[in-house]
Amino acid sequence: MSRSRNTDNIFENVDWLVIILYLLLIFVGWAQIYSAAWYEAKPTIFDFHREYGKQFIWITTSMVLGFLILILEPGFWTIFSYGIYVFFLFLNLIVPFLGTKVKGSHSWFRVGEFGIQPAEFMKFATNLALAKFLSNANLQVDKIETRVTAIFRNYRNTFIALGFIVLPLVVIKVLQDETGLAIVFAAFILSMYREGLTVSLIIIGAVLGLLFIISLAAFRGEWQTWPLQASILSLGLIYFMMMKRKFNRVMLLILFLSVASSIVKFGPKVYDHIPDHQRKRMDVFLYFAFGVGNVNLDKEAFNVDQSMTTIGCGGLTGTGFLEGAQTKSGLVPEQKTDFIFCTIGEEWGFLGAIVIIILQVGLILKLIFMAERQRSDFSRVYGYGVASVLFFHFLVNIGMTLGLIPVIGIPLPFISYGGSSLWSFTILVFIFIKLDANRFAILR
Amino acid sequence: MIRRPLDNRKFVITSVVLFFTLLYCGRLVYMQLLTDKYEVKARNSGRKVKVDIPPRGFIFDRNEKPLVINDIAYDLVVIPREAKNPDSIALCRILGIDLEGYSRRMRKARIYSPRKESVFEKQLSSETYARLQEILHYRLPGFDIVKNPVRKYPRKIAAHLLGYTGEVNQQKADKDPYYRQGDYIGISGIEASYEKSLRGNKGTRIVVVDRFNKEKGSFKEGKYDTIGIPGNGLYCSLDADLQEYGELLMSNKKGSVVAIEPSTGEILAMVSSPSYDPNLFVGRARSKNYPKLIQDTVNVPLFNRALMASYPPGSIFKLIDALVAQQEGVLQTSTHYPCAGGYPPMGGKPKCHRHPGVDLYGAIQYSCNSYFSYVFRSIVDKNEFRKFEDGYENWRRHILSFGVGRHLDTDLPHELIGNVPSVKYYNKVFGKNHWRSNTIVSLGIGQAELGILPVQMANVMCIIANRGYYYIPHVIKRIQNDTINQSKWKEKHHCTVDSIYFIPVIDGMQKVVESGTAAASKLSDIVICGKTGTAQNPHGKDHAVFVCFAPRDNPKIAMAVVVENCGFGGTWAAPIASLMIEKYLKGKVARTDMEKRMVEADLINNKNIVAEPQH
């Protein structure tokens, strides 16, 4: 039944385009880390006391990891998916108590000069568990065409599926206080959407969120926003009109209208009472994305201001490798990790930044394309999960350097400095490469 | 493939991805291509990190007179990348260089780094500085003038002791992250020993500059700046007047003088002659003068004899013999040994000069070689030791306890050890069991392989002055705004000889100056206890040695004087010590003819040597 089973060649059916994109991204990232962390007295890229030297170790070990995953039978992942999920959830539960405190964060296990964040590995574990759950034979209904839709018709199943992502999100946010690492799990909404997550929930959520942000922007900028708010509200209304079941329609409509109006009315007032540092982050976002309100460019808005200035200095072709004045001044915050896109924008300019975006989006679209060609539900759900996580990172990371998204500390996949994230992305992608290589078999 | 109802959702997802991609690309088009507001902003709020090198701490003597202070030097620096079309002709005219010299300097700077500051011309005169200042900002882009504090020595003394500063070498800069290439660091002497206190702490300032590289003020009101902390002033134990007088007396002589206060271990003077003017080693002059001084192999002015020259101590070593022998119970003050112009058991070797028959006092007074040969052998061959080697080892243990032949661990760098040979050494030279006390009897009179540094000789005098203990000699007294750990300098180090045995030796030493080998150097109202010595020199004329302390009771100063290649200790070394004691204890010197005779004598070229007046 399976072609790959009959051969010893582990590279059979492996999609090389993905591997090439993967390699391009990590080596561009390595070069950029070298530039961002460059220190005149330690110019060799293999200096293991500097980030670029350490990243080399992470890159090598990642490749070994990827190779090991290609050797492993793909059935391993379906059989042990829940076990892996429980194991990493357990690691995440104990790390605040047994790990090392680094910069006020409780999310690290430390070995010598190197640190590991179990939260990073929770991503692929969650993705495996979710894929396993959504492809479970027990959920199957009679007609194959409607099977997947049916999963989310069942409220119990919806809650369990959401539970898989809410559990790590809460553990990482509450116990480890890592907002960036926690919020990533929201990305799986996208893969669940593909599997049939009721679209009303997403649309209602999106409309309410949009309303909230517009109300805030209006509040900060003293806009006349009723036309905007009215149009968004009417879009919501039109959506409800299109719904089929009458009873649900009326009930939900009433609920929607009351929540929406209270957001418009009370949102800005509630906003003033949320914790200071979070409100400031939001203020900075509103300032740069909508140009409203007032922020202190030397304090809360310093990061984003620096980041945008640095990118803006790049021009069409950039200042050249290692020549970025802003990058070298050392005032761009976290430029080796979360703000690495700034140094790309400055040193390689518009062309370089576009190339990075094309590489990232190219990989995401390629993964979506591959997910769609899977015969096995498990593989498809998993593939979409990988694409969703990568897209979420791309969206938030680059968005924040451009001032379009509130600052949330998450890395740019394959490019930012960091061992755990590189390992985590490598595992995510390579498991899918292996599943895809085996796509002619049905995995359960 | 079966089409399923959810398959359309892939298009929705792809559209979402593409929507945000296009949104981001659009934002990049605006930020990087359409608007130049970010570039303008970056250029007008350009930043430069400036390192503030704090002034180095001053060094004062024990009476708070300045020995080392700071001066300002102006260096012209350039960042080659930013030097776009500078007015090179004007620059050449002001600096007095030609265009070829200009391009050579620029090339050198560019090789070092196109992006970083490097020195274009060092130590400008204030006039050049003023003329450059006028055109600097608008006609010389990329150039800048930095102020550098340099060391200045108001009195040209104590060059070896104070040491000098220079640019840090690459190895040190690699090891210690505080230093960057081009930083100054203490290289020798006190400058090196107390580098951390003297240097202070560097600060960094971030300054905002406009597109002409002109400073517009501090960045974010100094939020990211760190303040440089000036180096602390250091009070050393040196007495500048005594040091200066010692250097004057030692002029045109090779040798060394070390004076220590016995009650504290503080070094009062440390002369190594020939010396050099410490101002020769400041800034740009250093690269010119250093090779000149280091190539002077005849006078070796850079060599600090006080800490590095190891001499056979000669007769002064007899004092230690006398002390150890009494402690071992093999010598009483009344003990007599025969002397027949030499040591009889060895056929009159080592030889001795004419003198009356002596007990211990007389033996010290007349420095009888024969007497101390007997004494030495009686210690080493003491009955209680079954093996001869054990007796020698016991003697050596006593000697080492006097701070001789081992590292004293002073607070000055480059201090050597000297030499008191070990059993192992003699076994290697003579073969095991092939040497006896008579083989090495000349150790007893301070000759043969023995090597003692002038600072160790002075320290032995401290032990005798204190009747049995010493403090490790040191130059530090205190540091401004800083408490140093004084416990090391306050700890008494006892030698193995009990204090009662010192009295006869001190009596003998008093007689040496009153009516013995150094009688010409006695002072009418201060009792000096001393001992002359002649250090054998296989390469030429013997070295004169004199050690002493004064006054006898409650001693204030202990000294060692070594004058090379001038024979007997009483003629040259003792008067120098005596004059310095008079200077230190009385403030001025009354014996002007002796002073004149000493100052003028040129023992290097053998000129102006006036014979000692006969009594």
Side-chain angles (χ1 to χ4, degrees), chain A residues 213-245:
Chain A
I213 289 170
I214 287 174
S215 313
L216 288 183
F219 175 65
R220 288 283 177 236
E222 291 170 7
W223 289 347
Q224 287 297 327
T225 53
W226 62 265
L228 245 178
Q229 287 171 344
S231 48
I232 289 173
L233 273 173
S234 37
L235 273 174
L237 286 175
I238 292 166
Y239 174 72
F240 280 111
M241 292 307 170
M242 285 157 53
M243 280 179 87
K244 285 177 190 121
R245 274 182 291 178

mmCIF file of all heavy atoms in Angstrom, chain A residues 213-245:
data_model
loop_
_atom_site.group_PDB
_atom_site.id
_atom_site.type_symbol
_atom_site.label_atom_id
_atom_site.label_comp_id
_atom_site.label_asym_id
_atom_site.label_seq_id
_atom_site.Cartn_x
_atom_site.Cartn_y
_atom_site.Cartn_z
ATOM 1 N N ILE A 213 -10.999 47.807 19.029
ATOM 2 C CA ILE A 213 -9.821 48.580 18.633
ATOM 3 C C ILE A 213 -10.242 49.929 18.052
ATOM 4 O O ILE A 213 -9.664 50.971 18.358
ATOM 5 C CB ILE A 213 -8.961 47.782 17.635
ATOM 6 C CG1 ILE A 213 -8.294 46.621 18.379
ATOM 7 C CG2 ILE A 213 -7.894 48.651 16.995
ATOM 8 C CD1 ILE A 213 -7.625 45.622 17.477
ATOM 9 N N ILE A 214 -11.280 49.913 17.224
ATOM 10 C CA ILE A 214 -11.722 51.176 16.627
ATOM 11 C C ILE A 214 -12.254 52.131 17.697
ATOM 12 O O ILE A 214 -11.975 53.337 17.671
ATOM 13 C CB ILE A 214 -12.769 50.909 15.534
ATOM 14 C CG1 ILE A 214 -12.053 50.313 14.321
ATOM 15 C CG2 ILE A 214 -13.508 52.173 15.133
ATOM 16 C CD1 ILE A 214 -12.972 49.867 13.242
ATOM 17 N N SER A 215 -12.961 51.570 18.663
ATOM 18 C CA SER A 215 -13.446 52.427 19.753
ATOM 19 C C SER A 215 -12.289 53.062 20.500
ATOM 20 O O SER A 215 -12.325 54.251 20.840
ATOM 21 C CB SER A 215 -14.281 51.611 20.738
ATOM 22 O OG SER A 215 -15.199 50.808 20.067
ATOM 23 N N LEU A 216 -11.275 52.254 20.742
ATOM 24 C CA LEU A 216 -10.098 52.777 21.452
ATOM 25 C C LEU A 216 -9.421 53.870 20.646
ATOM 26 O O LEU A 216 -9.072 54.932 21.165
ATOM 27 C CB LEU A 216 -9.087 51.663 21.713
ATOM 28 C CG LEU A 216 -9.451 50.639 22.773
ATOM 29 C CD1 LEU A 216 -8.307 49.653 22.938
ATOM 30 C CD2 LEU A 216 -9.735 51.332 24.088
ATOM 31 N N ALA A 217 -9.233 53.581 19.347
ATOM 32 C CA ALA A 217 -8.572 54.554 18.481
ATOM 33 C C ALA A 217 -9.377 55.844 18.479
ATOM 34 O O ALA A 217 -8.828 56.943 18.546
ATOM 35 C CB ALA A 217 -8.437 53.996 17.076
ATOM 36 N N ALA A 218 -10.708 55.679 18.419
ATOM 37 C CA ALA A 218 -11.564 56.855 18.433
ATOM 38 C C ALA A 218 -11.401 57.615 19.735
ATOM 39 O O ALA A 218 -11.294 58.835 19.769
ATOM 40 C CB ALA A 218 -13.014 56.408 18.264
ATOM 41 N N PHE A 219 -11.359 56.872 20.788
ATOM 42 C CA PHE A 219 -11.244 57.454 22.119
ATOM 43 C C PHE A 219 -9.925 58.213 22.272
ATOM 44 O O PHE A 219 -9.876 59.343 22.745
ATOM 45 C CB PHE A 219 -11.329 56.296 23.125
ATOM 46 C CG PHE A 219 -11.109 56.704 24.538
ATOM 47 C CD1 PHE A 219 -12.012 57.562 25.174
ATOM 48 C CD2 PHE A 219 -10.024 56.220 25.250
ATOM 49 C CE1 PHE A 219 -11.809 57.916 26.485
ATOM 50 C CE2 PHE A 219 -9.833 56.576 26.558
ATOM 51 C CZ PHE A 219 -10.720 57.424 27.188
ATOM 52 N N ARG A 220 -8.856 57.617 21.780
ATOM 53 C CA ARG A 220 -7.549 58.268 21.881
ATOM 54 C C ARG A 220 -7.416 59.446 20.908
ATOM 55 O O ARG A 220 -6.766 60.424 21.196
ATOM 56 C CB ARG A 220 -6.432 57.257 21.610
ATOM 57 C CG ARG A 220 -6.216 56.256 22.721
ATOM 58 C CD ARG A 220 -5.464 56.896 23.876
ATOM 59 N NE ARG A 220 -5.310 55.956 24.969
ATOM 60 C CZ ARG A 220 -5.714 56.196 26.202
ATOM 61 N NH1 ARG A 220 -6.273 57.337 26.520
ATOM 62 N NH2 ARG A 220 -5.521 55.295 27.147
ATOM 63 N N GLY A 221 -8.009 59.248 19.732
ATOM 64 C CA GLY A 221 -7.813 60.267 18.704
ATOM 65 C C GLY A 221 -8.959 61.242 18.596
ATOM 66 O O GLY A 221 -8.930 62.125 17.754
ATOM 67 N N GLU A 222 -9.976 61.077 19.428
ATOM 68 C CA GLU A 222 -11.164 61.927 19.389
ATOM 69 C C GLU A 222 -11.739 62.008 17.986
ATOM 70 O O GLU A 222 -11.991 63.077 17.447
ATOM 71 C CB GLU A 222 -10.832 63.324 19.949
ATOM 72 C CG GLU A 222 -10.574 63.258 21.430
ATOM 73 C CD GLU A 222 -10.018 64.563 21.983
ATOM 74 O OE1 GLU A 222 -9.965 65.553 21.233
ATOM 75 O OE2 GLU A 222 -9.652 64.585 23.153
ATOM 76 N N TRP A 223 -11.893 60.849 17.407
ATOM 77 C CA TRP A 223 -12.487 60.791 16.073
ATOM 78 C C TRP A 223 -14.009 60.806 16.172
ATOM 79 O O TRP A 223 -14.587 60.445 17.181
ATOM 80 C CB TRP A 223 -12.139 59.461 15.374
ATOM 81 C CG TRP A 223 -10.739 59.319 14.954
ATOM 82 C CD1 TRP A 223 -9.787 60.263 14.881
ATOM 83 C CD2 TRP A 223 -10.143 58.099 14.526
ATOM 84 N NE1 TRP A 223 -8.614 59.733 14.436
ATOM 85 C CE2 TRP A 223 -8.808 58.393 14.202
ATOM 86 C CE3 TRP A 223 -10.609 56.786 14.364
ATOM 87 C CZ2 TRP A 223 -7.936 57.433 13.746
ATOM 88 C CZ3 TRP A 223 -9.736 55.835 13.904
ATOM 89 C CH2 TRP A 223 -8.401 56.157 13.597
ATOM 90 N N GLN A 224 -14.615 61.142 15.015
ATOM 91 C CA GLN A 224 -16.037 60.851 14.852
ATOM 92 C C GLN A 224 -16.092 59.481 14.200
ATOM 93 O O GLN A 224 -15.823 59.323 13.024
ATOM 94 C CB GLN A 224 -16.707 61.897 13.946
ATOM 95 C CG GLN A 224 -16.879 63.231 14.618
ATOM 96 C CD GLN A 224 -17.803 63.152 15.829
ATOM 97 O OE1 GLN A 224 -18.748 62.366 15.847
ATOM 98 N NE2 GLN A 224 -17.516 63.936 16.849
ATOM 99 N N THR A 225 -16.399 58.454 14.951
ATOM 100 C CA THR A 225 -16.262 57.112 14.391
ATOM 101 C C THR A 225 -17.592 56.423 14.157
ATOM 102 O O THR A 225 -17.609 55.274 13.783
ATOM 103 C CB THR A 225 -15.427 56.213 15.306
ATOM 104 O OG1 THR A 225 -16.000 56.275 16.586
ATOM 105 C CG2 THR A 225 -13.998 56.611 15.314
ATOM 106 N N TRP A 226 -18.666 57.110 14.394
ATOM 107 C CA TRP A 226 -19.923 56.360 14.251
ATOM 108 C C TRP A 226 -20.118 55.773 12.876
ATOM 109 O O TRP A 226 -20.642 54.680 12.746
ATOM 110 C CB TRP A 226 -21.112 57.178 14.732
ATOM 111 C CG TRP A 226 -21.351 58.460 13.952
ATOM 112 C CD1 TRP A 226 -20.925 59.691 14.265
ATOM 113 C CD2 TRP A 226 -22.076 58.566 12.728
ATOM 114 N NE1 TRP A 226 -21.301 60.593 13.336
ATOM 115 C CE2 TRP A 226 -22.017 59.933 12.363
ATOM 116 C CE3 TRP A 226 -22.759 57.659 11.899
ATOM 117 C CZ2 TRP A 226 -22.613 60.403 11.203
ATOM 118 C CZ3 TRP A 226 -23.355 58.147 10.744
ATOM 119 C CH2 TRP A 226 -23.274 59.502 10.406
ATOM 120 N N PRO A 227 -19.662 56.432 11.772
ATOM 121 C CA PRO A 227 -19.863 55.760 10.470
ATOM 122 C C PRO A 227 -19.133 54.411 10.401
ATOM 123 O O PRO A 227 -19.683 53.428 9.944
ATOM 124 C CB PRO A 227 -19.256 56.741 9.476
ATOM 125 C CG PRO A 227 -19.073 58.026 10.198
ATOM 126 C CD PRO A 227 -18.963 57.714 11.631
ATOM 127 N N LEU A 228 -17.909 54.401 10.901
ATOM 128 C CA LEU A 228 -17.113 53.163 10.890
ATOM 129 C C LEU A 228 -17.789 52.090 11.730
ATOM 130 O O LEU A 228 -17.963 50.951 11.295
ATOM 131 C CB LEU A 228 -15.731 53.455 11.459
ATOM 132 C CG LEU A 228 -14.548 53.307 10.496
ATOM 133 C CD1 LEU A 228 -13.269 53.687 11.206
ATOM 134 C CD2 LEU A 228 -14.493 51.897 9.947
ATOM 135 N N GLN A 229 -18.136 52.501 12.953
ATOM 136 C CA GLN A 229 -18.740 51.533 13.856
ATOM 137 C C GLN A 229 -20.048 51.015 13.283
ATOM 138 O O GLN A 229 -20.323 49.820 13.319
ATOM 139 C CB GLN A 229 -18.973 52.167 15.226
ATOM 140 C CG GLN A 229 -17.662 52.356 15.984
ATOM 141 C CD GLN A 229 -17.841 53.169 17.236
ATOM 142 O OE1 GLN A 229 -18.863 53.836 17.411
ATOM 143 N NE2 GLN A 229 -16.848 53.129 18.095
ATOM 144 N N ALA A 230 -20.814 51.917 12.679
ATOM 145 C CA ALA A 230 -22.090 51.517 12.109
ATOM 146 C C ALA A 230 -21.881 50.525 10.979
ATOM 147 O O ALA A 230 -22.579 49.508 10.884
ATOM 148 C CB ALA A 230 -22.836 52.742 11.606
ATOM 149 N N SER A 231 -20.873 50.770 10.141
ATOM 150 C CA SER A 231 -20.675 49.863 9.014
ATOM 151 C C SER A 231 -20.234 48.486 9.495
ATOM 152 O O SER A 231 -20.642 47.464 8.949
ATOM 153 C CB SER A 231 -19.689 50.455 8.008
ATOM 154 O OG SER A 231 -18.553 50.926 8.672
ATOM 155 N N ILE A 232 -19.373 48.462 10.530
ATOM 156 C CA ILE A 232 -18.950 47.160 11.050
ATOM 157 C C ILE A 232 -20.135 46.425 11.664
ATOM 158 O O ILE A 232 -20.343 45.230 11.408
ATOM 159 C CB ILE A 232 -17.822 47.346 12.079
ATOM 160 C CG1 ILE A 232 -16.541 47.768 11.363
ATOM 161 C CG2 ILE A 232 -17.587 46.044 12.828
ATOM 162 C CD1 ILE A 232 -15.439 48.137 12.277
ATOM 163 N N LEU A 233 -20.952 47.160 12.393
ATOM 164 C CA LEU A 233 -22.134 46.550 12.991
ATOM 165 C C LEU A 233 -23.071 45.988 11.919
ATOM 166 O O LEU A 233 -23.581 44.876 12.031
ATOM 167 C CB LEU A 233 -22.884 47.577 13.841
ATOM 168 C CG LEU A 233 -22.400 47.696 15.288
ATOM 169 C CD1 LEU A 233 -23.097 48.855 15.975
ATOM 170 C CD2 LEU A 233 -22.655 46.400 16.034
ATOM 171 N N SER A 234 -23.250 46.760 10.846
ATOM 172 C CA SER A 234 -24.186 46.281 9.832
ATOM 173 C C SER A 234 -23.633 45.063 9.105
ATOM 174 O O SER A 234 -24.389 44.170 8.722
ATOM 175 C CB SER A 234 -24.553 47.404 8.843
ATOM 176 O OG SER A 234 -23.432 48.197 8.603
ATOM 177 N N LEU A 235 -22.304 45.013 8.939
ATOM 178 C CA LEU A 235 -21.694 43.809 8.372
ATOM 179 C C LEU A 235 -22.064 42.595 9.222
ATOM 180 O O LEU A 235 -22.422 41.534 8.715
ATOM 181 C CB LEU A 235 -20.173 43.954 8.306
ATOM 182 C CG LEU A 235 -19.603 44.616 7.057
ATOM 183 C CD1 LEU A 235 -18.100 44.812 7.218
ATOM 184 C CD2 LEU A 235 -19.916 43.762 5.838
ATOM 185 N N GLY A 236 -21.944 42.773 10.552
ATOM 186 C CA GLY A 236 -22.312 41.698 11.471
ATOM 187 C C GLY A 236 -23.775 41.311 11.293
ATOM 188 O O GLY A 236 -24.106 40.127 11.228
ATOM 189 N N LEU A 237 -24.644 42.331 11.140
ATOM 190 C CA LEU A 237 -26.070 42.068 10.985
ATOM 191 C C LEU A 237 -26.347 41.250 9.724
ATOM 192 O O LEU A 237 -27.064 40.253 9.757
ATOM 193 C CB LEU A 237 -26.834 43.392 10.916
ATOM 194 C CG LEU A 237 -26.970 44.126 12.253
ATOM 195 C CD1 LEU A 237 -27.626 45.475 12.053
ATOM 196 C CD2 LEU A 237 -27.756 43.268 13.229
ATOM 197 N N ILE A 238 -25.721 41.681 8.622
ATOM 198 C CA ILE A 238 -25.912 40.978 7.353
ATOM 199 C C ILE A 238 -25.535 39.509 7.514
ATOM 200 O O ILE A 238 -26.231 38.601 7.068
ATOM 201 C CB ILE A 238 -25.065 41.635 6.240
ATOM 202 C CG1 ILE A 238 -25.631 43.024 5.931
ATOM 203 C CG2 ILE A 238 -25.064 40.778 4.980
ATOM 204 C CD1 ILE A 238 -24.697 43.879 5.116
ATOM 205 N N TYR A 239 -24.439 39.284 8.242
ATOM 206 C CA TYR A 239 -23.986 37.919 8.456
ATOM 207 C C TYR A 239 -25.077 37.117 9.163
ATOM 208 O O TYR A 239 -25.379 35.989 8.784
ATOM 209 C CB TYR A 239 -22.698 37.910 9.248
ATOM 210 C CG TYR A 239 -22.255 36.517 9.618
ATOM 211 C CD1 TYR A 239 -21.748 35.660 8.630
ATOM 212 C CD2 TYR A 239 -22.390 36.038 10.907
ATOM 213 C CE1 TYR A 239 -21.373 34.372 8.939
ATOM 214 C CE2 TYR A 239 -22.015 34.758 11.229
ATOM 215 C CZ TYR A 239 -21.514 33.936 10.244
ATOM 216 O OH TYR A 239 -21.143 32.661 10.548
ATOM 217 N N PHE A 240 -25.682 37.714 10.179
ATOM 218 C CA PHE A 240 -26.693 36.966 10.932
ATOM 219 C C PHE A 240 -27.949 36.702 10.079
ATOM 220 O O PHE A 240 -28.593 35.680 10.206
ATOM 221 C CB PHE A 240 -27.075 37.721 12.209
ATOM 222 C CG PHE A 240 -26.061 37.509 13.290
ATOM 223 C CD1 PHE A 240 -25.246 38.544 13.721
ATOM 224 C CD2 PHE A 240 -25.921 36.241 13.865
ATOM 225 C CE1 PHE A 240 -24.315 38.329 14.700
ATOM 226 C CE2 PHE A 240 -24.984 36.039 14.855
ATOM 227 C CZ PHE A 240 -24.173 37.085 15.280
ATOM 228 N N MET A 241 -28.226 37.653 9.196
ATOM 229 C CA MET A 241 -29.376 37.453 8.310
ATOM 230 C C MET A 241 -29.180 36.219 7.446
ATOM 231 O O MET A 241 -30.122 35.533 7.079
ATOM 232 C CB MET A 241 -29.571 38.679 7.396
ATOM 233 C CG MET A 241 -30.007 39.918 8.131
ATOM 234 S SD MET A 241 -31.439 39.604 9.132
ATOM 235 C CE MET A 241 -31.543 41.085 10.063
ATOM 236 N N MET A 242 -27.915 35.955 7.088
ATOM 237 C CA MET A 242 -27.636 34.848 6.186
ATOM 238 C C MET A 242 -27.696 33.493 6.888
ATOM 239 O O MET A 242 -27.614 32.455 6.247
ATOM 240 C CB MET A 242 -26.269 35.036 5.532
ATOM 241 C CG MET A 242 -26.285 36.104 4.429
ATOM 242 S SD MET A 242 -24.654 36.792 4.129
ATOM 243 C CE MET A 242 -23.719 35.315 3.865
ATOM 244 N N MET A 243 -27.751 33.523 8.217
ATOM 245 C CA MET A 243 -27.756 32.240 8.931
ATOM 246 C C MET A 243 -29.061 31.505 8.691
ATOM 247 O O MET A 243 -30.098 32.091 8.446
ATOM 248 C CB MET A 243 -27.563 32.473 10.423
ATOM 249 C CG MET A 243 -26.112 32.711 10.764
ATOM 250 S SD MET A 243 -25.895 33.014 12.505
ATOM 251 C CE MET A 243 -25.730 31.371 13.101
ATOM 252 N N LYS A 244 -28.977 30.177 8.787
ATOM 253 C CA LYS A 244 -30.125 29.378 8.341
ATOM 254 C C LYS A 244 -31.165 29.209 9.436
ATOM 255 O O LYS A 244 -32.364 29.408 9.223
ATOM 256 C CB LYS A 244 -29.618 28.033 7.838
ATOM 257 C CG LYS A 244 -28.955 28.183 6.479
ATOM 258 C CD LYS A 244 -28.372 26.875 5.979
ATOM 259 C CE LYS A 244 -27.507 27.108 4.755
ATOM 260 N NZ LYS A 244 -26.129 26.650 4.960
ATOM 261 N N ARG A 245 -30.707 28.877 10.634
ATOM 262 C CA ARG A 245 -31.708 28.534 11.647
ATOM 263 C C ARG A 245 -32.226 29.779 12.342
ATOM 264 O O ARG A 245 -31.432 30.583 12.853
ATOM 265 C CB ARG A 245 -31.117 27.531 12.632
ATOM 266 C CG ARG A 245 -31.296 26.108 12.113
ATOM 267 C CD ARG A 245 -30.766 25.106 13.091
ATOM 268 N NE ARG A 245 -29.303 25.188 13.174
ATOM 269 C CZ ARG A 245 -28.575 24.424 14.000
ATOM 270 N NH1 ARG A 245 -29.174 23.599 14.821
ATOM 271 N NH2 ARG A 245 -27.289 24.510 14.016
#
